Amino acid sequence: MNSSFQEIGEIFARHESFVIMSHIRPDGDAIGSQLALGFSLLAMGKKVRLINEDGLPDNLAFLPGSERIETPPSEPLEVEVAIALDTAVKPRLGAGALHAASRAKVWVNIDHHKSNPGYGDFNHIDSGSPATGQILYKLLTALDMPFPEETRDSIYVAVSTDTGSFQYPSTTEETYLMAADLIRRGVDVGRINSLTYDNHPFRRVELMRALLNTLELAGGGRVAHWEMTQATYTSLGLKPEDSEGLIDIIRAIEGVTVALFFEELPGGKVRVSMRSKDPRVDACHVCMEFGGGGHALAAGIRMDGPLAEAKAKVIAAVERALPLS
Ligand code: 5GP
Ligand code: MN
């Protein structure tokens, strides 16, 4: 059962100290959502800590206020309220972040993943929203909360990155009206898009070259997949965020319905990113077979290796999920 914005507003009003968290391997929606809500609460005079298990990725360091994102302290924080944003299941907050938030008395869970079971005391899960950032925009404007420039820019980037620059089918009229309002409030569109999309480290393009050398098709041309080994990761000196969004290149291939990115993690686990272009192929559903989750058209898994075995299993499951024609 979803809590109303009013109920969540009362939690904000009745408490003074908050820890705001998002998922491991944070993307633009995760960090952007933390900053958006965090700076609004700070502007209300609240005490706020912004904790992420993996800290701030370099590619989001341009966001104003992002220096406030911290890795978890070793001792639990003395805070009243823990807020999880954009995080489908509680363990995806990370063990260190969960420990840091362990003294909180009230848990608030705001997310747009349809697989979110509602692990908070107060939950607001809107799987119709393209990004958690858009839910926060609605929450903050509905409650007439402060809207400083850190909040404004972070919401823009959160929604832009989770919609593939306002392109995916989850993008609605409401999304564009929100974007228009953010521009009216002062977002510098050219500058912020350039910082988000035209500012990649050279090693990311080297990674693209390495990935292209592993590109293959399956399912009669309807499945495209590529892989990143630990050897590639270390030899190019990569960071976790360097592969963010590259899957869109193979998702864009004509005739491809499902794109897959396989990443060998240290310790032998495998991370899978899955994208579907056809609503009849539910990527979240396929990923849940392997303990993963996400959205209908964008989902992921962390599973046991070795890489070749994980690939064979996931590709077979995707082929089974393809429509007959
Ligand atoms: P990405 O491929 O960009 O890492 O993730 C796509 C979507 O799937 C995101 O919304 C992300 O939260 C979700 N997702 C990715 N990996 C996992 C996973 O291991 N477990 C679950 N439950 N969701 C995941
Ligand atoms: Mn998201």
Side-chain angles (χ1 to χ4, degrees):
M1 251 288 282
N2 265 351
S3 301
S4 66
F5 288 156
Q6 269 61 36
E7 285 170 291
I8 294 172
E10 278 166 33
I11 306 288
F12 296 160
R14 288 208 195 114
H15 299 89
E16 288 309 313
S17 56
F18 300 82
V19 56
I20 304 181
M21 297 163 287
S22 68
H23 59 81
I24 52 171
R25 297 276 297 248
D27 56 11
D29 193 26
I31 296 291
S33 293
Q34 286 187 267
L35 292 171
L37 180 57
F39 275 85
S40 184
L41 287 170
L42 282 169
M44 289 168 73
K46 306 292 182 181
K47 289 202 193 88
V48 180
R49 296 284 291 267
L50 302 178
I51 302 290
N52 186 280
E53 185 78 11
D54 294 328
L56 175 71
D58 288 349
N59 63 327
L60 295 167
F62 71 88
L63 284 171
S66 59
E67 65 283 352
R68 287 196 73 117
I69 302 280
E70 308 166 67
T71 51
S74 49
E75 291 301 312
L77 296 166
E78 297 302 333
V79 289
E80 298 161 276
V81 183
I83 305 176
L85 300 176
D86 197 43
T87 305
V89 285
K90 208 171 174 182
R92 273 178 63 78
L93 292 169
L98 285 167
H99 181 62
S102 58
R103 300 233 168 102
K105 286 157 208 73
V106 182
W107 273 76
V108 178
N109 169 16
I110 300 173
D111 188 23
H112 69 132
H113 292 93
K114 67 171 178 176
S115 55
N116 192 310
Y119 52 82
D121 301 309
F122 297 86
N123 301 284
H124 193 93
I125 316 302
D126 178 3
S127 62
S129 185
T132 301
Q134 185 174 313
I135 305 175
L136 293 175
Y137 169 82
K138 286 171 71 172
L139 174 75
L140 298 184
T141 51
L143 296 174
D144 209 14
M145 282 171 65
F147 218 94
E149 69 173 46
E150 293 91 345
T151 297
R152 177 196 74 196
D153 283 9
S154 295
I155 289 181
Y156 184 89
V157 170
V159 179
S160 174
T161 51
D162 252 28
T163 55
S165 309
F166 303 96
Q167 289 179 50
Y168 299 153
S170 54
T171 313
T172 64
E173 177 188 3
E174 203 177 2
T175 314
Y176 280 102
L177 289 171
M178 179 206 73
D181 181 46
L182 294 174
I183 294 166
R184 193 179 55 75
R185 291 172 188 261
V187 165
D188 183 342
V189 174
R191 181 173 175 276
I192 207 163
N193 283 319
S194 169
L195 289 167
T196 309
Y197 299 112
D198 300 337
N199 203 25
H200 299 304
F202 181 69
R203 60 175 191 270
R204 176 175 156 103
V205 184
E206 292 184 291
L207 167 62
M208 218 183 286
R209 171 167 54 198
L211 288 172
L212 283 166
N213 281 327
T214 72
L215 174 63
E216 284 179 43
L217 294 175
R222 290 190 289 166
V223 181
H225 58 93
W226 59 14
E227 65 173 47
M228 176 168 77
T229 59
Q230 268 297 298
T232 301
Y233 190 84
T234 41
S235 70
L236 294 179
L238 297 174
K239 297 193 171 189
E241 65 266 25
D242 289 331
S243 59
E244 183 84 45
L246 291 181
I247 193 170
D248 287 347
I249 298 170
I250 57 172
R251 181 184 161 277
I253 299 168
E254 179 186 21
V256 162
T257 301
V258 176
L260 295 167
F261 169 56
F262 295 94
E263 174 181 350
E264 196 178 35
L265 298 173
K269 286 249 173 194
V270 175
R271 173 176 166 262
V272 185
S273 276
M274 188 179 296
R275 301 290 183 270
S276 167
K277 270 154 76 179
D278 184 338
R280 291 174 298 174
V281 183
D282 185 330
C284 180
H285 193 255
V286 178
C287 287
M288 283 170 84
E289 276 184 48
F290 300 95
H295 312 284
L297 301 183
I301 316 165
R302 255 167 208 254
M303 61 193 289
D304 290 334
L307 184 60
E309 233 166 77
K311 278 177 75 172
K313 283 184 200 157
V314 173
I315 292 168
V318 170
E319 286 175 336
R320 284 195 299 274
L322 290 173
L324 291 174
S325 60

